[in-house]
Amino acid sequence: MSEQAGTSPYGGSNRHHKPKPFAPMDFEPFAGGADPARVSEAAHLAAQALVRHGRDSDDPQITERLVRLADEQGLDAIAEMWAESPARSLPGALWRLYALRAATVQDPERISVYFRAGRDTAQVSNVVAGAAEPPGADEMRTMADAILSGAFDGDFDVALERSAAFCRVVALGQATLADGAEHANEAHASKLTRNSHQLVKTAEDLEHAANAWRLGELD
């Protein structure tokens, strides 16, 4: 989504390259050959440490570094840690927060089109998501940063609920645009519909994670 430097998690050399394009509806699993139990344990420990580090600090620079972790390390590196974690777990929830921000930062214009198409119908979710008006590309980037920042310097469950609301608005916008494109471009309409369904599922997972966090059961 942005250029990164360093060693590729898949064994590349130190050079600048672009990670695989990533959209908020594309939660593709990343294959790996390690022991699944050890991978899962490492994913949970890393997520717990990251959240604890952010929440124990009142330094805004630390929060900013955590927000931009995927920019600096590459989204592939984050995916390698967390993409295969259960959706309704701490590492799974963090993965979705980072992936949604990365997708928004990569193509804020496209996301803003979806958001504008869904916000008037999904009025409650629009308010919860907290996008500034009018919700253009800059507002989408700002909101994505603010939501992820809230995971470290605010209430973690609120950050998850804002992200879920964002997903619901975008999903409704995709569904609305799919209806309008159904006759003119059936393939595009079908893709938008599939993506919309995926985002609704993501929203449900984030909402479940938020409730689990409040109960002290998100690990």
Side-chain angles (χ1 to χ4, degrees), residues 48 64 70 73-74 76 80 89 94 97 107-109 121 124 150 152 156 161 173 189 191 195 208 210:
Q48 291 164 4
E64 183 176 359
Q73 301 297 325
D76 284 354
E80 188 171 271
S89 68
L94 272 176
L97 290 179
D107 196 350
E109 292 284 357
T121 304
V124 173
F152 304 113
F156 192 75
E161 288 177 334
K191 181 178 180 180
N195 293 343
H208 185 280

PDB file of all heavy atoms in Angstrom, residues 48 64 70 73-74 76 80 89 94 97 107-109 121 124 150 152 156 161 173 189 191 195 208 210:
ATOM      1  N   GLN A  48      -0.898  -8.563  22.298  1.00  0.00           N
ATOM      2  CA  GLN A  48      -1.023  -8.108  23.685  1.00  0.00           C
ATOM      3  C   GLN A  48       0.072  -7.099  24.028  1.00  0.00           C
ATOM      4  O   GLN A  48      -0.195  -6.073  24.668  1.00  0.00           O
ATOM      5  CB  GLN A  48      -0.969  -9.305  24.629  1.00  0.00           C
ATOM      6  CG  GLN A  48      -2.188 -10.214  24.548  1.00  0.00           C
ATOM      7  CD  GLN A  48      -1.950 -11.570  25.184  1.00  0.00           C
ATOM      8  OE1 GLN A  48      -0.896 -11.826  25.769  1.00  0.00           O
ATOM      9  NE2 GLN A  48      -2.937 -12.455  25.071  1.00  0.00           N
ATOM     10  N   GLU A  64       1.615   7.512  17.387  1.00  0.00           N
ATOM     11  CA  GLU A  64       1.784   7.725  15.947  1.00  0.00           C
ATOM     12  C   GLU A  64       2.629   6.624  15.322  1.00  0.00           C
ATOM     13  O   GLU A  64       2.325   6.144  14.224  1.00  0.00           O
ATOM     14  CB  GLU A  64       2.419   9.087  15.680  1.00  0.00           C
ATOM     15  CG  GLU A  64       2.547   9.390  14.186  1.00  0.00           C
ATOM     16  CD  GLU A  64       3.086  10.778  13.909  1.00  0.00           C
ATOM     17  OE1 GLU A  64       3.348  11.532  14.875  1.00  0.00           O
ATOM     18  OE2 GLU A  64       3.268  11.111  12.720  1.00  0.00           O
ATOM     19  N   ALA A  70       2.387  -0.409   9.997  1.00  0.00           N
ATOM     20  CA  ALA A  70       2.277  -1.104   8.706  1.00  0.00           C
ATOM     21  C   ALA A  70       2.944  -0.311   7.594  1.00  0.00           C
ATOM     22  O   ALA A  70       3.465  -0.890   6.634  1.00  0.00           O
ATOM     23  CB  ALA A  70       0.806  -1.359   8.363  1.00  0.00           C
ATOM     24  N   GLN A  73       6.794  -1.109   8.392  1.00  0.00           N
ATOM     25  CA  GLN A  73       7.192  -2.512   8.311  1.00  0.00           C
ATOM     26  C   GLN A  73       6.620  -3.211   7.079  1.00  0.00           C
ATOM     27  O   GLN A  73       7.125  -4.262   6.679  1.00  0.00           O
ATOM     28  CB  GLN A  73       6.733  -3.258   9.567  1.00  0.00           C
ATOM     29  CG  GLN A  73       7.288  -2.693  10.865  1.00  0.00           C
ATOM     30  CD  GLN A  73       8.799  -2.796  10.946  1.00  0.00           C
ATOM     31  OE1 GLN A  73       9.391  -3.760  10.461  1.00  0.00           O
ATOM     32  NE2 GLN A  73       9.432  -1.788  11.534  1.00  0.00           N
ATOM     33  N   GLY A  74       5.592  -2.631   6.483  1.00  0.00           N
ATOM     34  CA  GLY A  74       4.910  -3.271   5.358  1.00  0.00           C
ATOM     35  C   GLY A  74       3.728  -4.086   5.852  1.00  0.00           C
ATOM     36  O   GLY A  74       3.809  -4.776   6.870  1.00  0.00           O
ATOM     37  N   ASP A  76       2.485  -6.678   4.653  1.00  0.00           N
ATOM     38  CA  ASP A  76       2.761  -8.116   4.586  1.00  0.00           C
ATOM     39  C   ASP A  76       3.333  -8.626   5.905  1.00  0.00           C
ATOM     40  O   ASP A  76       3.034  -9.744   6.338  1.00  0.00           O
ATOM     41  CB  ASP A  76       3.738  -8.431   3.447  1.00  0.00           C
ATOM     42  CG  ASP A  76       3.069  -8.383   2.086  1.00  0.00           C
ATOM     43  OD1 ASP A  76       1.839  -8.212   2.053  1.00  0.00           O
ATOM     44  OD2 ASP A  76       3.772  -8.518   1.076  1.00  0.00           O
ATOM     45  N   GLU A  80       1.671 -11.411   8.212  1.00  0.00           N
ATOM     46  CA  GLU A  80       2.359 -12.652   8.586  1.00  0.00           C
ATOM     47  C   GLU A  80       2.165 -12.964  10.066  1.00  0.00           C
ATOM     48  O   GLU A  80       2.075 -14.127  10.465  1.00  0.00           O
ATOM     49  CB  GLU A  80       3.861 -12.530   8.262  1.00  0.00           C
ATOM     50  CG  GLU A  80       4.619 -13.835   8.431  1.00  0.00           C
ATOM     51  CD  GLU A  80       6.034 -13.725   7.904  1.00  0.00           C
ATOM     52  OE1 GLU A  80       6.249 -13.987   6.710  1.00  0.00           O
ATOM     53  OE2 GLU A  80       6.929 -13.360   8.696  1.00  0.00           O
ATOM     54  N   SER A  89     -10.613 -12.361  17.886  1.00  0.00           N
ATOM     55  CA  SER A  89      -9.517 -12.453  18.848  1.00  0.00           C
ATOM     56  C   SER A  89      -8.775 -11.135  18.813  1.00  0.00           C
ATOM     57  O   SER A  89      -8.978 -10.316  17.909  1.00  0.00           O
ATOM     58  CB  SER A  89      -8.568 -13.603  18.479  1.00  0.00           C
ATOM     59  OG  SER A  89      -7.880 -13.317  17.267  1.00  0.00           O
ATOM     60  N   LEU A  94      -6.880  -6.630  15.682  1.00  0.00           N
ATOM     61  CA  LEU A  94      -5.827  -5.681  15.314  1.00  0.00           C
ATOM     62  C   LEU A  94      -5.500  -5.760  13.830  1.00  0.00           C
ATOM     63  O   LEU A  94      -5.285  -4.747  13.169  1.00  0.00           O
ATOM     64  CB  LEU A  94      -4.563  -5.950  16.132  1.00  0.00           C
ATOM     65  CG  LEU A  94      -4.441  -5.251  17.481  1.00  0.00           C
ATOM     66  CD1 LEU A  94      -3.180  -5.696  18.194  1.00  0.00           C
ATOM     67  CD2 LEU A  94      -4.461  -3.735  17.317  1.00  0.00           C
ATOM     68  N   LEU A  97      -8.067  -3.820  11.971  1.00  0.00           N
ATOM     69  CA  LEU A  97      -7.877  -2.377  12.122  1.00  0.00           C
ATOM     70  C   LEU A  97      -6.751  -1.867  11.223  1.00  0.00           C
ATOM     71  O   LEU A  97      -6.895  -0.848  10.540  1.00  0.00           O
ATOM     72  CB  LEU A  97      -7.556  -2.042  13.585  1.00  0.00           C
ATOM     73  CG  LEU A  97      -8.685  -2.190  14.607  1.00  0.00           C
ATOM     74  CD1 LEU A  97      -8.170  -1.849  16.001  1.00  0.00           C
ATOM     75  CD2 LEU A  97      -9.878  -1.322  14.248  1.00  0.00           C
ATOM     76  N   ASP A 107      -6.204   4.066  -1.147  1.00  0.00           N
ATOM     77  CA  ASP A 107      -7.124   4.588  -2.162  1.00  0.00           C
ATOM     78  C   ASP A 107      -8.273   5.340  -1.488  1.00  0.00           C
ATOM     79  O   ASP A 107      -9.428   4.908  -1.516  1.00  0.00           O
ATOM     80  CB  ASP A 107      -7.671   3.425  -3.001  1.00  0.00           C
ATOM     81  CG  ASP A 107      -8.304   3.905  -4.302  1.00  0.00           C
ATOM     82  OD1 ASP A 107      -8.490   5.122  -4.453  1.00  0.00           O
ATOM     83  OD2 ASP A 107      -8.616   3.066  -5.160  1.00  0.00           O
ATOM     84  N   PRO A 108      -7.969   6.480  -0.876  1.00  0.00           N
ATOM     85  CA  PRO A 108      -9.010   7.210  -0.140  1.00  0.00           C
ATOM     86  C   PRO A 108     -10.118   7.745  -1.029  1.00  0.00           C
ATOM     87  O   PRO A 108     -11.264   7.877  -0.577  1.00  0.00           O
ATOM     88  CB  PRO A 108      -8.237   8.342   0.533  1.00  0.00           C
ATOM     89  CG  PRO A 108      -7.022   8.535  -0.327  1.00  0.00           C
ATOM     90  CD  PRO A 108      -6.671   7.167  -0.810  1.00  0.00           C
ATOM     91  N   GLU A 109      -9.802   8.045  -2.282  1.00  0.00           N
ATOM     92  CA  GLU A 109     -10.836   8.543  -3.198  1.00  0.00           C
ATOM     93  C   GLU A 109     -11.918   7.488  -3.409  1.00  0.00           C
ATOM     94  O   GLU A 109     -13.119   7.773  -3.337  1.00  0.00           O
ATOM     95  CB  GLU A 109     -10.203   8.938  -4.537  1.00  0.00           C
ATOM     96  CG  GLU A 109      -9.302  10.149  -4.482  1.00  0.00           C
ATOM     97  CD  GLU A 109     -10.075  11.461  -4.384  1.00  0.00           C
ATOM     98  OE1 GLU A 109     -11.320  11.416  -4.422  1.00  0.00           O
ATOM     99  OE2 GLU A 109      -9.431  12.509  -4.238  1.00  0.00           O
ATOM    100  N   THR A 121     -28.034   6.517   4.253  1.00  0.00           N
ATOM    101  CA  THR A 121     -28.889   5.411   4.677  1.00  0.00           C
ATOM    102  C   THR A 121     -28.420   4.850   6.007  1.00  0.00           C
ATOM    103  O   THR A 121     -29.223   4.579   6.913  1.00  0.00           O
ATOM    104  CB  THR A 121     -28.903   4.296   3.615  1.00  0.00           C
ATOM    105  OG1 THR A 121     -29.321   4.858   2.361  1.00  0.00           O
ATOM    106  CG2 THR A 121     -29.862   3.181   4.008  1.00  0.00           C
ATOM    107  N   VAL A 124     -26.812   6.010  11.554  1.00  0.00           N
ATOM    108  CA  VAL A 124     -26.248   5.727  12.873  1.00  0.00           C
ATOM    109  C   VAL A 124     -24.778   5.331  12.753  1.00  0.00           C
ATOM    110  O   VAL A 124     -23.911   5.839  13.476  1.00  0.00           O
ATOM    111  CB  VAL A 124     -27.046   4.616  13.583  1.00  0.00           C
ATOM    112  CG1 VAL A 124     -26.358   4.213  14.888  1.00  0.00           C
ATOM    113  CG2 VAL A 124     -28.470   5.088  13.863  1.00  0.00           C
ATOM    114  N   GLY A 150      -7.101   5.462  18.354  1.00  0.00           N
ATOM    115  CA  GLY A 150      -7.952   5.212  19.501  1.00  0.00           C
ATOM    116  C   GLY A 150      -7.749   3.844  20.123  1.00  0.00           C
ATOM    117  O   GLY A 150      -8.055   3.633  21.302  1.00  0.00           O
ATOM    118  N   PHE A 152      -4.977   2.695  20.838  1.00  0.00           N
ATOM    119  CA  PHE A 152      -3.812   2.793  21.714  1.00  0.00           C
ATOM    120  C   PHE A 152      -3.911   3.929  22.728  1.00  0.00           C
ATOM    121  O   PHE A 152      -3.322   3.842  23.805  1.00  0.00           O
ATOM    122  CB  PHE A 152      -2.548   2.967  20.876  1.00  0.00           C
ATOM    123  CG  PHE A 152      -2.342   1.875  19.870  1.00  0.00           C
ATOM    124  CD1 PHE A 152      -2.426   2.128  18.518  1.00  0.00           C
ATOM    125  CD2 PHE A 152      -2.099   0.571  20.281  1.00  0.00           C
ATOM    126  CE1 PHE A 152      -2.256   1.112  17.580  1.00  0.00           C
ATOM    127  CE2 PHE A 152      -1.929  -0.451  19.368  1.00  0.00           C
ATOM    128  CZ  PHE A 152      -2.010  -0.182  18.011  1.00  0.00           C
ATOM    129  N   PHE A 156     -10.329   0.939  23.665  1.00  0.00           N
ATOM    130  CA  PHE A 156     -10.100  -0.030  22.595  1.00  0.00           C
ATOM    131  C   PHE A 156     -11.409  -0.504  21.990  1.00  0.00           C
ATOM    132  O   PHE A 156     -11.516  -0.660  20.772  1.00  0.00           O
ATOM    133  CB  PHE A 156      -9.302  -1.226  23.140  1.00  0.00           C
ATOM    134  CG  PHE A 156      -8.783  -2.138  22.072  1.00  0.00           C
ATOM    135  CD1 PHE A 156      -7.708  -1.770  21.293  1.00  0.00           C
ATOM    136  CD2 PHE A 156      -9.386  -3.372  21.832  1.00  0.00           C
ATOM    137  CE1 PHE A 156      -7.213  -2.608  20.295  1.00  0.00           C
ATOM    138  CE2 PHE A 156      -8.909  -4.209  20.850  1.00  0.00           C
ATOM    139  CZ  PHE A 156      -7.816  -3.831  20.069  1.00  0.00           C
ATOM    140  N   GLU A 161     -15.571  -0.454  17.550  1.00  0.00           N
ATOM    141  CA  GLU A 161     -16.930  -0.127  17.128  1.00  0.00           C
ATOM    142  C   GLU A 161     -16.932   0.932  16.037  1.00  0.00           C
ATOM    143  O   GLU A 161     -17.757   0.882  15.119  1.00  0.00           O
ATOM    144  CB  GLU A 161     -17.746   0.327  18.331  1.00  0.00           C
ATOM    145  CG  GLU A 161     -18.091  -0.827  19.273  1.00  0.00           C
ATOM    146  CD  GLU A 161     -18.835  -0.386  20.510  1.00  0.00           C
ATOM    147  OE1 GLU A 161     -18.678   0.797  20.908  1.00  0.00           O
ATOM    148  OE2 GLU A 161     -19.565  -1.213  21.089  1.00  0.00           O
ATOM    149  N   GLY A 173     -22.696   1.484   0.985  1.00  0.00           N
ATOM    150  CA  GLY A 173     -22.391   2.247  -0.225  1.00  0.00           C
ATOM    151  C   GLY A 173     -22.074   1.339  -1.398  1.00  0.00           C
ATOM    152  O   GLY A 173     -22.528   1.585  -2.537  1.00  0.00           O
ATOM    153  N   ALA A 189     -20.943  -5.073 -10.674  1.00  0.00           N
ATOM    154  CA  ALA A 189     -21.991  -5.082  -9.652  1.00  0.00           C
ATOM    155  C   ALA A 189     -21.858  -6.311  -8.751  1.00  0.00           C
ATOM    156  O   ALA A 189     -22.020  -6.219  -7.527  1.00  0.00           O
ATOM    157  CB  ALA A 189     -23.369  -5.045 -10.305  1.00  0.00           C
ATOM    158  N   LYS A 191     -19.129  -7.976  -8.079  1.00  0.00           N
ATOM    159  CA  LYS A 191     -17.945  -7.816  -7.227  1.00  0.00           C
ATOM    160  C   LYS A 191     -18.248  -6.884  -6.064  1.00  0.00           C
ATOM    161  O   LYS A 191     -17.874  -7.158  -4.910  1.00  0.00           O
ATOM    162  CB  LYS A 191     -16.780  -7.269  -8.044  1.00  0.00           C
ATOM    163  CG  LYS A 191     -15.502  -7.108  -7.222  1.00  0.00           C
ATOM    164  CD  LYS A 191     -14.348  -6.599  -8.072  1.00  0.00           C
ATOM    165  CE  LYS A 191     -13.082  -6.447  -7.219  1.00  0.00           C
ATOM    166  NZ  LYS A 191     -11.947  -5.943  -8.012  1.00  0.00           N
ATOM    167  N   ASN A 195     -18.044  -7.854  -2.099  1.00  0.00           N
ATOM    168  CA  ASN A 195     -17.233  -7.064  -1.187  1.00  0.00           C
ATOM    169  C   ASN A 195     -18.079  -6.494  -0.042  1.00  0.00           C
ATOM    170  O   ASN A 195     -17.629  -6.428   1.104  1.00  0.00           O
ATOM    171  CB  ASN A 195     -16.551  -5.921  -1.944  1.00  0.00           C
ATOM    172  CG  ASN A 195     -15.512  -6.417  -2.928  1.00  0.00           C
ATOM    173  OD1 ASN A 195     -15.070  -7.554  -2.847  1.00  0.00           O
ATOM    174  ND2 ASN A 195     -15.116  -5.564  -3.857  1.00  0.00           N
ATOM    175  N   HIS A 208     -18.274  -7.936  17.739  1.00  0.00           N
ATOM    176  CA  HIS A 208     -18.133  -9.034  18.703  1.00  0.00           C
ATOM    177  C   HIS A 208     -16.854  -8.850  19.528  1.00  0.00           C
ATOM    178  O   HIS A 208     -16.857  -9.046  20.751  1.00  0.00           O
ATOM    179  CB  HIS A 208     -18.101 -10.367  17.962  1.00  0.00           C
ATOM    180  CG  HIS A 208     -18.071 -11.562  18.869  1.00  0.00           C
ATOM    181  ND1 HIS A 208     -16.915 -12.010  19.486  1.00  0.00           N
ATOM    182  CD2 HIS A 208     -19.056 -12.406  19.279  1.00  0.00           C
ATOM    183  CE1 HIS A 208     -17.180 -13.067  20.216  1.00  0.00           C
ATOM    184  NE2 HIS A 208     -18.470 -13.337  20.118  1.00  0.00           N
ATOM    185  N   ALA A 210     -15.345  -6.041  20.194  1.00  0.00           N
ATOM    186  CA  ALA A 210     -15.545  -4.911  21.101  1.00  0.00           C
ATOM    187  C   ALA A 210     -16.284  -5.347  22.362  1.00  0.00           C
ATOM    188  O   ALA A 210     -15.914  -4.970  23.485  1.00  0.00           O
ATOM    189  CB  ALA A 210     -16.312  -3.792  20.401  1.00  0.00           C
TER     190      ALA A 210
END
